[in-house]
Amino acid sequence: GRSSVGVTSVPPVPDAPPETASISVDGKEIDATKGELVIDACERAGIYIPRFCYHPRMRPVGMCRMCIVEIDTGRGPALQPSCMIPATPGMTVSTQSEATVKAQDGVLEFLLINHPLDCPVCDKGGECPLQDQTLAYGPGESRFVEEKRHFEKPIPVNENVYLDRERCILCDRCTRFAKDVAGDPLISFQDRSSQTQVNTFPDHPFASYFAGNTVQICPVGALTARPYRFRARPWDLEQTESTCQSCAVGCRVVIDSSRNEVLRYNGVDIDPVNWGWMCDKGRFDFQSVQHPDRLVGPLLRGADGELAEARWSEALGAAAAAVREGLERSGPGGVAVLGGARLTNEAAYAWAKLAKGVIGTDHVDAQLGDGLPADAVLGLPRATIDDVCAKGGTVLLMGPDLKEELPVLYLRLRHAVIEDGVSLVELSPTATSCSELATAALRHRPGEATELLRQVLGNAGRTGEPADQAGQRSAEIRARAREVLGKGPLTVILGRSSLAHSAEDAVAAAAFLLEATPGVRFLPALRRANVHGALDMGLGPGLLPGRTRLDEGRDWFLTAWDTVPDVPGLDATGILTAAADGRIDTLFLVGADPLADFPDRRLAARALAGARTVIATDLFLTESSSRADVVLAAAGYAEVDGSTTNIEGRVSTLGRMVTPPGTARADWMLAAELALRLGADLRLESVDEIWDEIEELAPSHAGITADLLRSPAAADGVVAPLHPADLGATEVNVEGTAVGGSDVTITGEPYDPDAAAEHAESAEAASEAEATDEDDGAIAEVESQERASRAAEREAAAAEDRAEGDDSAAHVDDTAGDERAEAEAVASEGAQRLFKPSPLSFDGRSVRGAPPPVDAYSLRLVTERKLYDLGTLVQHSPAIADLAASAPLRVNPSDFDRLGIADGSQVKVSAATGSVLVAAVADPGVPRGAAVLRWNQGTPDPGELIDATLSVTDVRVETTA
């Protein structure tokens, strides 16, 4: 892996330097880490040894013998596989000796005995290690003229991976990956002698979420991807690095395109995140980029009630007019923005500035009722993936099934448990893919996680012992969990295990752990691609960019923004409730589809019907955007530049590879255009300008410049916030025209969150701290005359707009007047010093009590996500669109007799909001008193049963006979 910048927000504790062993390679002395494999030590020193079976992320097996070299450990030189021999002091290695060359020639000659010479038609041609190494290390011709072996070709080992068996060189890479890395041993060696082949077992396809990785690591063309097969040659491709946006892990990838068409994604090995692995959803959803259903231009609902193509000026004008009318009727509180997790960081910032800095509304939420409160995501002490996977560590998993929602994080955690001695305790309503990895797996009904934690850690429960759940909550398991959780620093993977109950229980559990476990750190397990970046940029109620609360950051942001909301706004549930009640005049859906994604389907439908105007920006015409009054076609992944933020807070770059279809525009451009039509100016004209403003204004991103993100030192991304040590001793001095249009000087040390937190205690404390230690925090000297000048400029612009008859300036004019009055008040006191606000911190004191008890006739509903669902991108990617499948209602076997239903029978599941019909099956992995349905898999739809205003969802199950 490559080096990374700012891996943690606290100074790292230096490890003891590794022991070294000096070895001689081809007469050159190099220092190898003691125990390091010879093949790795040589490559690190710039000496490449050919290989086929060896892969740095898997256990070596020494099968292909291509890496054979002469090694002398003091007993005389001998030919040995360099992938199996650790470096020892005084070792002598020869990679160019006559014996080595002859051995490598022989290995290649034998590999080519039966290998077909079909390079002109093989998809691997041009990027094939066998091809390259035959030219570099192999004989000029073969001594064998016999007929080669033949197999039926190709055969599908699953829906997207094809196998040409005659090309296989039996390197064992694919089988090792499937068994050791993915934990899906569904492909293996079969038959004997010259008929030995890799294949699947009858009626057991290679049904793994990670099968596409075997295509990438295969050193020949034996395994190929059906979506890419016969599509292009390597020399036809243009490449750029980017970050996968199929979930929030942030896997680094390479996008390959040809003739303005994306053809494939491949994983890039970065050490802190994905190690080169990808899930098949992320690998194959590239097909959605150029799907014929993509929106190519704006749509406007006409007098006939139908959406029709429109010019951009018409669509943007209609959207701006709707906002102005809503402001006149209801003020800023009549406008709401849902979505933003699909956007880049830069686009999210532009929309936050439009909503909060121009319109003045704080009814903004990038989450759709399926995440965690922003102060928990941003305010809890955050861990990195490497923290979770640190050798010998302890991990508490309180969240979703990682394999289904954050697949590559599952691979990293699996490796950490199996290979690095990490102890895992799972706390979840149902058995997950991580259950077999856990030292202790505890089950609970929705809403009872906090109570169970109190019992496990030895504290008395507030509501007594919950009912025994399928024998899982035995004293022995609790004791084992208590022992594991108490043995060392604890890292918690925190998320939502079900959409059928609120986030309150997860937040309460986090608050309890924060108080009861010193040094605990949290990795938020939110699945939406850039939801962490959207929250960082202020797309959440009560937030401003840089992980800052409204009250703490208002004065600071008013140096650059026209306005800042006075009070915190509504979250997604509150926005949809207000819209359903007719209190939202204009509802923006920014890449959001609440009818498909919000847990309460009935509330989402009433909200879209209740809002006076719905404006959607999207890639496709979804179920929600098809009900909008204005639809703005947006550019998507691989079509825009910018950056994204993963679950660790790691900021990494996105690469633009193709042009958007038709006249679709980047989301930040849409925000800027709407602002202009509202009589304001975001003063954002490029992605780099937006990032410059983020770096200057957002406290958590101080020092993370665009140049830093693009530098080789940040190839693995940059974890925000940077610690001052990461920037060195250089002071940050920015002088000239500031982002708000006035001349501002910012001086001082790089942003230090601890110092900033001290400054935020009170204005007096800030002044005193600044006087005694000017290096604490980043200080902005803002002269009152400058603020008055800027307000006057806005007033003049507003007056000019009014003279032209543009009513859109009314709201901005009022804002400018307020700003001018404030500036005049400040002017009477002289110059004002403003400190960058401190980042928000988590406050667990407001968590609610225990959920209501389950009555004797009800079951508590649990909803689970699957990797393949009916989501927009999945359904517009033919390679994976058919992999979503409906599922039955899963109930503990002991509940069948009590409910009077039979295994496999059709049942009616009812709640206060509605009912569904579904088959019921017994599952001992489900706790007694609970029922499980899968989310967004078609029929049945759990969204018909969930009331988003309740903390839990109780359902009645009865037979339909």
Side-chain angles (χ1 to χ4, degrees):
R2 302 176 302 205
S3 62
S4 63
V5 174
V7 172
T8 59
S9 57
V10 296
V13 178
D15 297 325
E19 295 184 51
T20 60
S22 179
I23 65 175
S24 173
V25 181
D26 296 336
K28 176 184 176 182
E29 293 293 326
I30 66 173
D31 286 331
T33 303
K34 192 172 183 180
E36 183 179 18
L37 295 176
V38 169
I39 193 171
D40 290 331
C42 290
E43 185 167 5
R44 193 165 45 79
I47 302 170
Y48 181 79
I49 298 176
R51 78 292 301 269
F52 290 118
C53 69
Y54 177 72
H55 190 283
R57 295 300 186 183
M58 293 188 287
R59 294 177 183 174
V61 290
M63 290 186 63
C64 72
R65 288 311 201 243
M66 189 65 231
C67 70
I68 201 166
V69 294
E70 268 196 314
I71 299 178
D72 186 354
T73 58
R75 300 180 179 181
L79 289 172
Q80 300 185 65
S82 58
C83 72
M84 299 294 291
I85 307 301
T88 57
M91 175 184 285
T92 300
V93 179
S94 176
T95 69
Q96 304 292 331
S97 70
E98 183 178 346
T100 297
V101 171
K102 184 177 180 180
Q104 292 174 347
D105 274 356
V107 169
L108 283 165
E109 187 175 15
F110 274 102
L111 286 177
L112 293 172
I113 290 175
N114 269 311
H115 193 84
L117 302 180
D118 58 353
C119 301
V121 297
C122 177
D123 267 302
K124 203 77 171 183
E127 55 183 6
C128 174
L130 178 60
Q131 216 176 40
D132 296 339
Q133 291 175 187
T134 298
L135 291 173
Y137 304 97
E141 57 183 284
S142 173
R143 291 172 288 174
F144 297 91
V145 296
E146 288 76 16
E147 179 74 11
K148 296 178 183 290
R149 64 183 177 184
H150 299 282
F151 291 102
E152 175 190 353
K153 60 180 305 210
I155 59 172
V157 293
N158 68 18
E159 293 84 353
N160 292 305
V161 178
Y162 283 1
L163 171 63
D164 292 88
R165 289 169 288 175
E166 71 279 6
R167 295 176 184 164
C168 179
I169 61 172
L170 306 180
C171 71
D172 200 25
R173 276 192 176 190
C174 59
T175 52
R176 278 183 292 148
F177 173 85
K179 179 183 178 182
D180 298 337
V181 178
D184 299 322
L186 300 171
I187 185 170
S188 63
F189 289 122
Q190 299 177 11
D191 296 336
R192 297 290 184 89
S193 187
S194 64
Q195 295 300 305
T196 304
Q197 58 181 285
V198 167
N199 210 333
T200 58
F201 297 101
D203 302 321
H204 288 83
F206 191 15
S208 171
Y209 288 162
F210 310 101
N213 292 287
T214 63
V215 174
Q216 184 173 336
I217 65 175
C218 180
V220 292
L223 292 169
T224 53
R226 179 175 64 88
Y228 177 74
R229 194 175 171 94
F230 303 136
R231 296 293 304 279
R233 286 298 195 183
W235 50 82
D236 296 327
L237 299 175
E238 297 181 38
Q239 296 185 332
T240 188
E241 272 200 35
S242 190
T243 306
C244 180
Q245 294 292 276
S246 295
C247 77
V249 174
C251 299
R252 198 69 178 158
V253 301
V254 165
I255 303 173
D256 288 343
S257 72
S258 178
R259 296 179 294 278
N260 199 43
E261 182 181 359
V262 176
L263 296 180
R264 68 177 177 182
Y265 300 151
N266 275 324
V268 174
D269 191 335
I270 66 170
D271 193 70
V273 185
N274 62 311
W275 289 9
W277 311 134
M278 296 181 68
C279 71
D280 284 1
K281 179 181 177 181
R283 186 177 296 274
F284 296 125
D285 69 3
F286 70 87
Q287 295 173 314
S288 64
V289 175
Q290 56 263 339
H291 195 278
D293 289 347
R294 280 286 302 274
L295 290 171
V296 297
L299 303 176
L300 196 58
R301 195 171 298 280
D304 59 356
E306 300 294 326
L307 285 173
E309 294 181 2
R311 294 192 299 271
W312 275 104
S313 58
E314 295 174 334
L316 290 169
V323 174
R324 287 196 299 269
E325 292 171 7
L327 289 172
E328 291 172 358
R329 274 193 299 264
S330 309
V335 181
V337 178
L338 269 183
R342 176 183 60 79
L343 309 183
T344 65
N345 289 331
E346 292 80 358
Y349 178 84
W351 274 93
K353 189 173 182 179
L354 170 66
K356 303 188 178 192
V358 174
I359 297 172
T361 180
D362 195 53
H363 300 331
V364 177
D365 199 352
Q367 303 186 83
L368 291 182
D370 57 355
L372 298 171
D375 64 338
V377 178
L378 305 179
L380 286 168
R382 186 177 288 194
T384 65
I385 294 175
D386 278 346
D387 291 334
V388 170
C389 301
K391 287 187 178 182
T394 304
V395 176
L396 173 62
L397 174 57
M398 293 180 53
D401 189 333
L402 297 184
K403 193 173 185 179
E404 303 292 346
E405 299 199 22
L406 300 166
V408 175
L409 177 60
Y410 164 78
L411 293 185
R412 289 291 311 273
L413 182 61
R414 184 177 188 278
H415 180 276
V417 172
I418 294 175
E419 303 290 342
D420 295 331
V422 168
S423 299
L424 175 66
V425 174
E426 181 186 56
L427 197 69
S428 66
T430 62
T432 73
S433 57
C434 291
S435 298
E436 62 181 13
L437 303 174
T439 304
L442 301 170
R443 302 284 168 257
H444 63 86
R445 286 189 298 247
E448 298 177 354
T450 307
E451 195 64 33
L452 179 55
L453 267 181
R454 292 179 182 275
Q455 295 167 10
V456 167
L457 294 179
N459 295 314
R462 290 175 296 177
T463 59
E465 170 75 14
D468 178 62
Q469 306 301 328
Q472 295 296 319
R473 200 172 303 177
S474 66
E476 179 183 350
I477 294 179
R478 288 202 304 271
R480 190 183 313 148
R482 182 183 301 113
E483 179 184 358
V484 171
L485 295 177
K487 73 177 186 179
L490 177 64
T491 307
V492 181
I493 301 176
L494 182 70
R496 290 279 290 278
S497 56
S498 168
L499 301 184
H501 62 275
S502 71
E504 292 175 344
D505 195 32
V507 175
F512 169 72
L513 288 169
L514 197 62
E515 181 180 354
T517 312
V520 64
R521 304 179 73 185
F522 297 83
L523 183 67
L526 304 185
R527 59 180 287 274
R528 295 187 185 276
N530 195 32
V531 64
H532 300 83
L535 294 176
D536 277 354
M537 296 301 108
L539 287 183
L543 294 179
L544 288 170
R547 308 176 188 175
T548 304
R549 297 187 192 277
L550 280 178
D551 290 341
E552 284 79 2
R554 180 175 290 105
D555 291 340
W556 174 261
F557 276 87
L558 280 174
T559 65
W561 288 14
D562 294 334
T563 187
V564 172
D566 293 328
V567 295
L570 302 173
D571 63 4
T573 302
I575 289 171
L576 292 176
T577 301
D581 295 340
R583 292 182 282 119
I584 298 296
D585 289 276
T586 309
L587 176 62
F588 282 97
L589 301 179
V590 184
D593 185 4
L595 286 175
D597 292 338
F598 189 72
D600 188 337
R601 170 174 280 272
R602 293 177 182 269
L603 176 59
R606 289 194 298 114
L608 294 183
R612 288 187 175 86
T613 304
V614 178
I615 302 169
T617 71
D618 218 320
L619 309 178
F620 297 92
L621 201 60
T622 65
E623 188 176 358
S624 297
S625 60
S626 64
R627 302 190 187 189
D629 301 285
V630 183
V631 181
L632 306 177
Y637 183 68
E639 297 167 351
V640 294
D641 292 311
S643 62
T644 184
T645 304
N646 78 341
I647 54 178
E648 310 164 285
R650 184 181 302 276
V651 182
S652 56
T653 57
L654 296 170
R656 178 178 178 178
M657 200 69 246
V658 296
T659 57
T663 60
R665 301 184 181 182
D667 290 278
W668 71 266
M669 293 182 181
L670 298 179
E673 289 280 358
L674 285 170
L676 286 174
R677 283 166 171 77
L678 292 173
D681 187 354
L682 297 186
R683 296 180 292 276
L684 304 173
E685 298 183 359
S686 69
V687 170
D688 281 352
E689 280 193 16
I690 300 174
W691 189 260
D692 289 343
E693 182 165 326
I694 293 170
E695 191 273 329
E696 290 184 11
L697 281 182
S700 61
H701 289 63
I704 306 177
T705 64
D707 288 340
L708 173 60
L709 288 176
R710 288 191 289 257
S711 69
D716 295 346
V718 179
V719 176
L722 284 179
H723 189 273
D726 296 321
L727 293 175
T730 305
E731 288 191 350
V732 178
N733 294 293
V734 182
E735 298 185 7
T737 302
V739 291
S742 61
D743 292 336
V744 177
T745 301
I746 303 175
T747 61
E749 287 289 334
Y751 175 64
D752 183 340
D754 296 329
E758 295 176 4
H759 288 315
E761 292 181 0
S762 66
E764 291 80 11
S767 179
E768 181 180 352
E770 184 271 335
T772 57
D773 187 359
E774 293 184 356
D775 287 338
D776 282 346
I779 305 170
E781 296 185 0
V782 183
E783 297 294 335
S784 59
Q785 293 87 350
E786 295 166 349
R787 298 184 67 186
S789 173
R790 189 173 71 256
E793 289 175 2
R794 287 196 299 270
E795 171 69 12
E800 182 179 351
D801 289 336
R802 288 195 303 272
E804 295 175 357
D806 187 355
D807 294 336
S808 67
H811 173 62
V812 180
D813 176 42
D814 292 340
T815 303
D818 294 340
E819 285 280 317
R820 186 176 64 255
E822 180 186 354
E824 291 171 353
V826 172
S828 65
E829 300 175 1
Q832 176 181 344
R833 286 182 178 270
L834 292 180
F835 286 82
K836 272 192 177 180
S838 61
L840 60 85
S841 58
F842 173 70
D843 183 3
R845 293 174 295 180
S846 60
V847 296
R848 58 107 185 103
V854 181
D855 64 55
Y857 303 97
S858 297
L859 299 178
R860 193 142 281 172
L861 183 64
V862 178
T863 59
E864 291 181 337
R865 287 189 183 272
K866 300 292 288 183
L867 184 67
Y868 304 125
D869 56 18
L870 299 183
T872 302
L873 297 186
V874 171
Q875 292 306 302
H876 286 90
S877 301
I880 54 178
D882 296 331
L883 301 182
S886 59
L889 179 78
R890 289 156 43 216
V891 180
N892 189 278
S894 64
D895 285 322
F896 273 73
D897 293 338
R898 182 172 66 87
L899 297 172
I901 58 177
D903 190 4
S905 64
Q906 189 83 357
V907 297
K908 179 181 180 182
V909 184
S910 305
T913 57
S915 62
V916 298
L917 297 177
V918 62
V921 298
D923 184 352
V926 176
R928 287 203 298 264
V932 181
L933 281 175
R934 288 178 179 170
W935 179 261
N936 204 16
Q937 297 287 317
T939 305
D941 180 10
E944 300 287 347
L945 305 173
I946 298 173
D947 183 345
T949 63
L950 301 178
S951 61
V952 292
T953 299
D954 290 335
V955 296
R956 299 284 181 94
V957 179
E958 52 192 346
T959 181
T960 58

